[in-house]
Amino acid sequence: MSDALTEKKPAKGFDASGNEIDLSEFEESYYKPGQVQDDLEQVYNKSLEGIEEGEVVEGKILRINEREVIVDVNFKSEGIIPISEFKNVQDFKPGDKIDVFLEQVEDSEGQIILSKSRADFLKVWDRIYKSYEDQETVEGRLVRRIKGGVVVDLFGVDAFLPGSQIDLRQIPDMDAIIGQSFKFRVIKVNKARRNIVVSRRVILEEDRSAMREKILVELEKGQVREGTVKNITDFGAFIDLGGVDGLLHITDMSWGRVNHPSEIVAIGDKLNIKVLDFNENKERISLGLKQLTEHPWKGIEEKYPEGSRVLGKIVSITDYGAFMELEKGIEGLIHISEMSWTQHIKHPSKIVGIGDIVEAVVLKIDKDNQKISLGFKQLEPDPWEKVPAEFPIGTIIKGKVRNIAAFGAFIELKEGVDGLIHISDMSWTKKINHPGEMLKKGDTVEVKVLDIDQEKRRISLGIKQLTDDPWEDLAKDFSVGTEIAECEVARILDRGIIVNLTSDLEGFIPLNQLGQDVNHPSRIYKVGDKTPAKVIEFDLEGRKIVLSVSEYFKDKDENLLKEYLDKFPVKPAAEVKPAKGKGKKSEEGGEESAEEGTEETAEADESSKPQADESPEASE
């Protein structure tokens, strides 16, 4: 019975789902109350041995999600690192071991705070600081652009490369160098702020200085060296010869015309260049590009003999002509006077424009002064060559009035050949104040060739010469003493009046021969009045007729004189309108010469005649 009493009965229990289970198979616990908690704390504390804040520890990646990387560092909780601290997170996977920096053992939520970037920084800090102290060259890769410069991957940590420290000169396209590796110098460090500043420029300056010393020793006039275009200005380009800059002036870029250096070179171009000159200290170096090729004017006479036809491009236009480029470095001038046989050209731009490809004739070459004279008109025959044979002196021909000027009329005899009828050659007897009184533009008129100057391209024409000089016969019709019953007042002058004796013959009555004592003829007459007069002077040589009213009435009945005086009484000066300034001056100037004769003197004729090649258009 005692055995039955001592027999162990099965222990009953329940699992998490409420099902009854036998607990007898589990050994009886030998832990005292509270002992389990104490033991767990001991195990936990033991696991923390060697882990302190501010240290780099090894951890194992457990999981990776879109924002974080969860790392186990054998702590009671897992550590979290932002995914942004992993430069190439795709290179990591769960189970990988990494070094992390323990920033805080436990935050307010009981999580451990870790940092991979700080761990990376501390791992390479000593190496970076040593490079800084010893000014050693380190290699890094440009990662991305940021404000003010570029981020550089230096031993796996980020360093800052200021924009001014990237190169010796400004980089035109910063994005083009991202991803490239260069050598740098650490110029500033701050461990607490994890700040590292690097420079590439200091290395380039050192290299440049070394190259400069070498180049200055080697530099000689006439050398051909390779250079890089560093900067471009309006007057030339600065070329980096490798530590030393030289100036390639715009005039030394090409034998041809260069409007701006950018037409020849661009920043960054590498080119061979010739050393032309430098000062004593070799601080100012003159370079040349065109000097690498032969001078284009060499053998110019053989390439472009006088009289040959050439093809070229118009590159410049001035008031006096157009410059035509035959080839690079060789230009010729087409003077405005060599553009047309027949046209009077006011400006070369009326004939050609910049960029036009045209043909011309070589007229003259001045090799010493590097000048070539060219002509357009020589492409066609000179219309004046046959003028003396076509229009011999004395020929009567019809022509068209091309233009009328104050001194005469230009008559087109044939295309490109004009002659001039001077105003003095329009009438034997009539005083013509303006050619427009007789001719109009476009009229066809018959003329006589008076003179030809082929060298000066002048033809003198006349209308009055188509008839005989009438003055020999007029000497009979208007001899001294001849009385004219009615002379029509044509013009009134200060010193007398001009009267029409016939439709194309004028005479002059002086103020003191008007038969009345007045200070101006306008107090007696007006234009259109008709008065009797008597010829008192006939000057055949001077071609003038002077008349007198006083002499006409001298032997006449007194009643006739009284009737005349009643018809032409002297008006008060206040009733007479004074002549306007311009008209008065014109009348006085023109008609005082008529007092001396109805025609100008021969000398006056010649002095007032313009050059026959004077532009009709210019006188319009």
Side-chain angles (χ1 to χ4, degrees):
M1 183 168 179
S2 59
D3 293 335
L5 291 173
T6 57
E7 186 179 348
K8 189 175 181 181
K9 294 180 179 181
K12 301 295 182 180
F14 299 91
D15 61 14
S17 301
N19 300 318
E20 189 178 277
I21 59 174
D22 183 5
L23 299 177
S24 59
E25 58 186 58
F26 293 96
E27 294 182 3
E28 185 178 351
S29 173
Y30 294 97
Y31 288 100
K32 297 177 182 180
Q35 184 178 355
V36 173
Q37 181 178 354
D38 293 340
D39 290 347
L40 289 174
E41 287 181 357
Q42 289 179 12
V43 172
Y44 171 67
N45 291 332
K46 186 176 182 180
S47 69
L48 292 178
E49 290 180 4
I51 297 179
E52 295 183 6
E53 291 183 357
E55 288 188 355
V56 176
V57 297
E58 186 179 73
K60 183 173 70 173
I61 296 176
L62 299 179
R63 297 182 302 280
I64 301 174
N65 58 37
E66 292 181 356
R67 295 183 301 171
E68 302 163 332
V69 176
I70 293 83
V71 179
D72 178 18
V73 290
N74 294 322
F75 196 56
K76 64 177 181 178
S77 61
E78 299 165 347
I80 297 175
I81 303 175
I83 202 168
S84 60
E85 292 195 21
F86 289 78
K87 288 182 170 43
N88 301 303
V89 70
Q90 67 272 12
D91 295 339
F92 296 89
K93 63 183 182 299
D96 287 351
K97 293 183 178 181
I98 59 173
D99 290 329
V100 295
F101 180 79
L102 183 60
E103 292 190 349
Q104 190 175 346
V105 172
E106 203 170 13
D107 63 4
S108 60
E109 296 181 358
Q111 288 184 328
I112 186 170
I113 307 302
L114 304 175
S115 172
K116 182 178 184 301
S117 61
R118 291 197 64 180
D120 292 341
F121 178 80
L122 291 173
K123 283 166 61 179
V124 298
W125 168 252
D126 290 340
R127 185 177 177 186
I128 291 172
Y129 189 76
K130 184 177 185 304
S131 300
Y132 170 69
E133 286 287 308
D134 298 342
Q135 287 297 286
E136 295 176 351
T137 298
V138 294
E139 187 169 344
R141 183 173 62 87
L142 276 60
V143 179
R144 65 184 181 277
R145 289 183 62 178
I146 60 173
K147 184 178 180 181
V150 178
V151 173
V152 177
D153 182 356
L154 190 64
F155 306 139
V157 299
D158 289 345
F160 178 60
L161 173 63
S164 62
Q165 299 298 316
I166 297 176
D167 208 324
L168 294 172
R169 49 187 173 271
Q170 186 176 0
I171 301 294
D173 184 8
M174 197 88 75
D175 293 329
I177 61 173
I178 299 300
Q180 297 185 30
S181 295
F182 298 100
K183 292 189 179 299
F184 301 98
R185 185 74 53 75
V186 180
I187 59 174
K188 184 178 179 181
V189 293
N190 187 319
K191 183 177 182 181
R193 299 178 62 184
R194 288 186 289 167
N195 187 20
I196 305 169
V197 181
V198 296
S199 170
R200 178 170 174 258
R201 179 169 181 163
V202 293
I203 297 175
L204 296 177
E205 287 178 342
E206 290 173 0
D207 293 344
R208 180 184 176 90
S209 179
M211 292 176 65
R212 176 183 175 86
E213 295 299 323
K214 181 181 178 182
I215 288 174
L216 291 178
V217 172
E218 299 174 349
L219 198 66
E220 292 181 2
K221 294 179 183 179
Q223 274 184 344
V224 176
R225 307 189 69 98
E226 185 180 68
T228 304
V229 180
K230 180 178 180 181
N231 191 26
I232 295 176
T233 67
D234 289 339
F235 57 83
F238 288 94
I239 310 298
D240 182 0
L241 300 176
V244 177
D245 288 348
L247 174 63
L248 173 59
H249 197 270
I250 188 171
T251 57
D252 291 313
M253 288 184 168
S254 172
W255 294 113
R257 182 184 295 266
V258 181
N259 296 313
H260 194 273
S262 59
E263 297 175 8
I264 305 297
V265 296
I267 292 176
D269 283 354
K270 291 186 181 296
L271 62 160
N272 289 328
I273 210 81
K274 189 171 186 177
V275 179
L276 303 181
D277 200 4
F278 47 78
N279 61 2
E280 184 177 353
N281 298 321
K282 299 182 181 179
E283 293 174 349
R284 300 182 66 178
I285 303 172
S286 297
L287 304 173
L289 187 61
K290 71 181 184 182
Q291 288 79 3
L292 296 176
T293 58
E294 188 176 63
H295 198 295
W297 281 78
K298 185 177 181 180
I300 189 71
E301 296 94 340
E302 290 75 24
K303 285 195 289 185
Y304 304 106
E306 292 183 7
S308 62
R309 292 191 175 200
V310 292
L311 200 66
K313 181 172 72 172
I314 302 299
V315 292
S316 178
I317 296 176
T318 67
D319 290 339
Y320 55 84
F323 287 91
M324 174 176 161
E325 183 182 66
L326 305 182
E327 62 178 79
K328 285 294 183 183
I330 299 180
E331 293 179 7
L333 172 64
I334 307 166
H335 195 270
I336 192 170
S337 63
E338 303 295 345
M339 290 188 170
S340 176
W341 294 115
T342 61
Q343 300 180 55
H344 178 80
I345 301 168
K346 294 181 179 179
H347 195 274
S349 60
K350 301 291 183 181
I351 301 297
V352 293
I354 291 178
D356 288 353
I357 303 298
V358 296
E359 189 178 28
V361 174
V362 178
L363 305 180
K364 184 180 179 182
I365 293 180
D366 183 351
K367 184 178 179 180
D368 294 336
N369 295 308
Q370 296 186 10
K371 292 181 180 180
I372 298 179
S373 297
L374 304 171
F376 280 160
K377 68 184 184 183
Q378 289 77 10
L379 295 170
E380 302 292 337
D382 184 355
W384 279 81
E385 287 182 1
K386 299 179 180 179
V387 163
E390 288 183 273
F391 310 109
I393 295 174
T395 301
I396 296 174
I397 187 174
K398 287 184 178 181
K400 186 177 180 180
V401 179
R402 273 215 325 124
N403 192 43
I404 294 178
F407 49 80
F410 289 92
I411 310 298
E412 183 180 53
L413 303 181
K414 72 171 187 176
E415 186 178 0
V417 177
D418 288 351
L420 174 67
I421 307 173
H422 192 264
I423 193 171
S424 62
D425 290 315
M426 291 185 174
S427 175
W428 288 111
T429 58
K430 189 175 182 179
K431 176 65 179 179
I432 300 172
N433 295 306
H434 192 277
E437 296 174 13
M438 287 193 66
L439 301 172
K440 293 180 181 178
K441 190 173 180 179
D443 286 352
T444 298
V445 60
E446 192 172 52
V447 294
K448 188 174 185 178
V449 178
L450 307 180
D451 188 32
I452 296 176
D453 187 336
Q454 188 175 12
E455 183 179 349
K456 295 181 179 179
R457 297 176 182 269
R458 300 175 184 172
I459 300 179
S460 296
L461 305 173
I463 293 178
K464 72 181 186 181
Q465 288 82 1
L466 294 172
T467 60
D468 295 333
D469 186 350
W471 280 88
E472 291 288 345
D473 295 332
L474 291 175
K476 300 174 184 177
D477 297 337
F478 296 94
S479 59
V480 175
T482 302
E483 293 182 350
I484 297 94
E486 286 187 340
C487 300
E488 183 180 8
V489 177
R491 293 183 295 282
I492 298 175
L493 313 177
D494 288 343
R495 298 176 59 186
I497 60 175
I498 300 295
V499 294
N500 290 326
L501 302 180
T502 66
S503 59
D504 59 357
L505 180 64
E506 295 176 343
F508 176 68
I509 304 177
L511 182 65
N512 60 3
Q513 296 294 326
L514 295 179
Q516 301 186 70
D517 186 17
V518 291
N519 58 357
H520 198 279
S522 60
R523 294 182 63 185
I524 301 175
Y525 306 105
K526 64 181 183 298
V527 174
D529 287 345
K530 294 181 179 180
T531 178
K534 185 176 183 179
V535 177
I536 60 174
E537 182 183 349
F538 187 95
D539 185 352
L540 179 60
E541 184 177 349
R543 285 172 164 67
K544 66 180 180 179
I545 301 174
V546 182
L547 304 99
S548 171
V549 175
S550 304
E551 288 297 317
Y552 178 85
F553 286 103
K554 189 173 184 180
D555 299 327
K556 298 292 187 293
D557 188 281
E558 290 184 1
N559 291 327
L560 291 176
L561 177 59
K562 185 176 182 302
E563 288 178 10
Y564 176 80
L565 296 176
D566 290 340
K567 184 177 179 181
F568 297 105
V570 177
K571 304 179 189 72
E575 294 182 10
V576 179
K577 292 183 180 179
K580 293 182 180 180
K582 184 175 179 181
K584 181 179 180 182
K585 181 177 181 181
S586 174
E587 288 292 321
E588 289 177 357
E591 299 310 336
E592 282 182 4
S593 66
E595 178 188 0
E596 300 170 2
T598 57
E599 294 293 331
E600 301 176 28
T601 63
E603 292 78 11
D605 283 348
E606 290 302 319
S607 64
S608 63
K609 287 183 181 179
Q611 302 297 324
D613 55 357
E614 182 174 344
S615 163
E617 291 79 7
S619 62
E620 282 183 329

